[in-house]
Amino acid sequence: MKNRKKIYEGKAKILYQGPEPNTLIQYFKDDATAFNNKKKDQIPGKGVLNNFISELIMTRLKDVNISNHLIKRMNMREQLIKKLDIIPIEVVVRNIATGSLVQRLGIKEGKVLNRPIIEFYLKNDKLNDPIINEEHIIVFEWATPNELEEIISLSSRINDFLTGYFFSLNIRLVDFKLEFGRYWDNEEASIIVADEISPDNCRLWDVKTNKKLDKDRFRQDLGEVGKAYKEVAYRLGVLSENEFKKVIKNDL
Ligand code: ADP
Ligand code: UDP
């Protein structure tokens, strides 16, 4: 890689300074982590797949007027993005009960919720990303009341859109995590979608078989993690088997 200033290295991505002010380059790694970094491994090609999948989803969101940080995909592993002030909250939208919801509240695994639930977690690995509510967000000034309203409205629109989009590909959008940031333009901040939307932060189940096509395969040691991510990419039409092979060969 060239002499670029590394701004931040996270668990799944690296951020580099971008070519213009207020831009960053987001590099997708093959590293997979779960349970707050306690479980770690590499999934060959995951970064490439998430780069292409997230590009497609962010582009579709833009098509329906949901602003996000993507400027363009640059290559197999990198995207040029708008630099944002990240709101330190993980927003989780749930359509079907599973994961921490089931563990925390004893709800039956797989229960279809009669309306989506939006939850908030503080982005803080040291504290294990604790669940928080809207009052915490306002009182501790992680977002203003107007920003929070916008975050909720955007999360709900994204869920409606993506649920239908994935369903058309025979995939159930079970739940997913979003991040948002403030984008400054002429002293005015707007809230836009950040980070990535991929099988790393969505639960995706095949409609017919309920087969998991997401990071739960890694969390639960179900095997064929890369194969599941590829399946999502193929169904979305972002890469074919041949293109993927070519991409991976050039990547090594
Ligand atoms: P983590 O920080 O949880 O280990 P990643 O490895 O995915 O996660 O790192 C990506 C980091 O980049 C995240 O902390 C995320 O909040 C941040 N980020 C995502 N999009 C942007 C953006 N547009 N501007 C600034 N930071 C961003
Ligand atoms: N999620 C995420 N990052 C996190 C925590 C959760 O992307 O740090 C996603 C996760 O992939 C799932 C949804 O948010 O799609 C809900 O996760 P849950 O609260 O059930 O957490 P988990 O079971 O992963 O602890």
Side-chain angles (χ1 to χ4, degrees):
M1 241 171 294
K2 299 143 230 144
N3 279 337
R4 283 194 309 219
K5 191 167 167 225
K6 194 195 268 192
I7 308 277
Y8 172 82
E9 175 152 8
K11 297 185 287 291
K13 299 190 287 296
I14 306 174
L15 299 178
Y16 295 96
Q17 196 166 43
E20 311 284 340
N22 287 326
T23 64
L24 294 172
I25 292 166
Q26 178 167 246
Y27 175 95
F28 289 75
K29 302 194 285 184
D30 284 345
D31 301 21
T33 66
F35 313 120
N36 200 7
N37 233 348
K38 286 189 196 87
K39 184 177 165 78
K40 289 187 211 176
D41 208 348
Q42 289 251 319
I43 302 166
K46 177 180 80 91
V48 173
L49 291 162
N50 281 352
N51 183 20
F52 278 81
I53 293 170
S54 196
E55 176 203 12
L56 191 265
I57 293 178
M58 294 294 189
T59 306
R60 288 289 91 84
L61 290 180
K62 212 162 163 193
D63 291 344
V64 292
N65 262 327
I66 296 176
S67 308
N68 60 70
H69 71 168
L70 179 74
I71 300 171
K72 63 168 187 185
R73 183 173 57 76
M74 298 170 68
N75 54 43
M76 293 174 279
R77 287 188 181 266
E78 293 176 330
Q79 300 181 346
L80 183 63
I81 59 172
K82 291 176 179 167
K83 182 177 182 175
L84 307 179
D85 286 343
I86 293 289
I87 310 271
I89 294 167
E90 300 197 340
V91 181
V92 168
V93 185
R94 300 179 184 275
N95 298 306
I96 296 178
T98 189
S100 68
L101 180 75
V102 164
Q103 283 162 18
R104 201 171 51 242
L105 303 178
I107 306 297
K108 192 169 175 284
E109 168 76 24
K111 181 183 164 59
V112 178
L113 305 177
N114 56 20
R115 58 177 223 192
I117 293 177
I118 300 184
E119 295 175 342
F120 307 99
Y121 295 83
L122 183 63
K123 242 174 90 67
N124 186 325
D125 284 346
K126 279 196 200 122
L127 299 176
N128 248 327
D129 293 353
I131 192 161
I132 52 174
N133 69 22
E134 295 182 32
E135 296 297 307
H136 297 110
I137 295 172
I138 304 300
V139 170
F140 299 119
E141 298 182 346
W142 291 315
T144 66
N146 283 341
E147 286 173 339
L148 183 56
E149 202 180 306
E150 180 69 2
I151 287 170
I152 293 169
S153 156
L154 286 168
S155 301
S156 172
R157 282 175 59 204
I158 293 168
N159 185 43
D160 288 348
F161 176 74
L162 288 185
T163 297
Y165 193 59
F166 277 115
F167 197 75
S168 73
L169 307 170
N170 276 324
I171 294 174
R172 235 183 272 288
L173 178 61
V174 172
D175 58 29
F176 61 102
K177 184 262 295 184
L178 293 168
E179 291 190 28
F180 294 90
R182 293 183 191 97
Y183 180 64
W184 291 93
D185 194 16
N186 284 331
E187 317 239 318
E188 268 204 35
S190 52
I191 294 289
I192 70 174
V193 180
D195 207 53
E196 71 182 294
I197 302 181
S198 74
D200 262 12
N201 46 36
C202 300
R203 285 197 173 99
L204 304 167
W205 294 354
D206 180 81
V207 165
K208 291 197 191 102
T209 62
N210 274 343
K211 183 175 171 188
K212 295 180 201 297
L213 301 172
D214 57 67
K215 203 165 104 176
D216 269 354
R217 299 203 75 81
F218 171 70
R219 292 189 189 96
Q220 300 170 8
D221 289 320
L222 299 176
E224 300 194 322
V225 187
K227 200 171 161 207
Y229 282 55
K230 274 191 235 167
E231 177 70 29
V232 174
Y234 300 159
R235 289 202 205 178
L236 286 167
V238 291
L239 276 173
S240 69
E241 180 92 55
N242 276 343
E243 281 164 338
F244 180 71
K245 277 191 193 137
K246 225 187 305 167
V247 157
I248 289 297
K249 216 166 100 203
N250 294 337
D251 191 47
L252 296 174

